[in-house]
Amino acid sequence: MQYRKLSDSIELKGVGLHSGREFCLSIEPSGEALSLEAGGTRLPVSGLALDGTGRGSDLIFPDGKRVRTCEHVLSALAGLGVWRCKLSVTGDFPLEMPGLDGCSLGLAREIMEKSVPCERENPLPFALRYPVYAGDDARFVVALPSSSFRVTYVIDYAAAPVGTRIFDYFGDGGTDYLKEIAPARTFVMRSDVEALRAAGLALGGSPDNAVVVGDTGVEAAGGLRFPDEFARHKILDLLGDLACLGRPLIAHVVAIRAGHVQHLQLVERLRAVSRLD
């Protein structure tokens, strides 16, 4: 397991992918567990409630305040092994993380520039001892005992440009994440765009930060970055959702046609199991 610690603060400003409004994100070095501040309240991410029903992962404070679409930021931190830092989001409520570049590449590069390898004072990984499952027969995710961290993700979409894809990720923090996962952008079916925007979602999305999938092709700045970019992005999302454990997980995580709902159900069950560990 590779770890890094921030040597300087990171300040980002940008629109939320769903709200289309501007927010500011501050990531500061800390000796304490990964935490989030919103509206003057700071708590470890491992102690916040979770909601994956709004086409993203929301973290919810005990008083009901929530920060929407946290997965890409958390993915960059966890994917590079940064587990000790303080996140703060400011802007008009309801809050949302800046949408960045629709993936984690820009933030991941800045984290690498403003961090150094760290061998001490890191959180103890959670080594899973028996399987933990979330979902149903059609969509599920399961964490299996393993000697190292691994993700196997299978997606299956009717749209021909996506189709059925599988990607295996063997990252334990570091350059593998930066090269293989961080550049993979979020995607949306063209047939869903109108309904999403009518529901107040995807208002900050554009070809610059998302891949729009039609029946026979895609719209994306520069085209696809990988033939299996869609599966890689699902792993990006899953890594961000798993970061809500507050510490690294040692397990083989297998996801079949899953999404944020199943990811976060798994996290809630892993949290319960880890408290008994």
Side-chain angles (χ1 to χ4, degrees), residues 59-156:
L59 299 185
I60 307 170
F61 288 78
D63 62 1
K65 291 194 301 286
R66 70 171 61 209
V67 180
R68 302 175 65 192
T69 327
C70 297
E71 62 271 17
H72 296 173
V73 170
L74 293 178
S75 182
L77 292 166
L80 295 175
V82 178
W83 292 94
R84 303 288 196 196
C85 64
K86 300 188 294 184
L87 305 178
S88 301
V89 184
T90 56
D92 294 333
F93 284 85
L95 295 172
E96 184 176 9
M97 290 284 188
L100 309 178
D101 41 7
C103 57
S104 299
L105 184 59
L107 176 56
R109 285 173 172 166
E110 188 162 2
I111 290 171
M112 291 296 288
E113 292 172 0
K114 295 184 176 180
S115 66
V116 295
C118 179
E119 297 181 359
R120 298 182 179 180
E121 300 178 358
N122 293 304
L124 183 67
F126 174 40
L128 191 65
R129 293 188 291 172
Y130 47 85
V132 178
Y133 174 95
D136 54 33
D137 290 345
R139 297 160 61 92
F140 67 86
V141 57
V142 59
L144 304 167
S146 175
S147 60
S148 61
F149 180 68
R150 175 185 176 187
V151 176
T152 302
Y153 215 115
V154 178
I155 61 172
D156 182 23

Side-chain angles (χ1 to χ4, degrees), residues 159-162 188 190 211-220 224 230:
V162 184
V188 63
R190 171 174 293 283
V211 178
V212 179
V213 181
D215 292 335
T216 58
V218 302
E219 293 179 26
L224 289 179
F230 309 107

Side-chain angles (χ1 to χ4, degrees), residues 171-183:
D172 61 354
T175 54
D176 285 348
Y177 176 85
L178 192 63
K179 294 176 181 178
E180 297 181 9
I181 302 300

Side-chain angles (χ1 to χ4, degrees), residues 6 8-11 26-30 84-88:
L6 293 179
D8 197 1
S9 297
I10 296 173
E11 306 289 337
S26 171
I27 307 175
E28 300 178 4
S30 174
R84 303 288 196 196
C85 64
K86 300 188 294 184
L87 305 178
S88 301

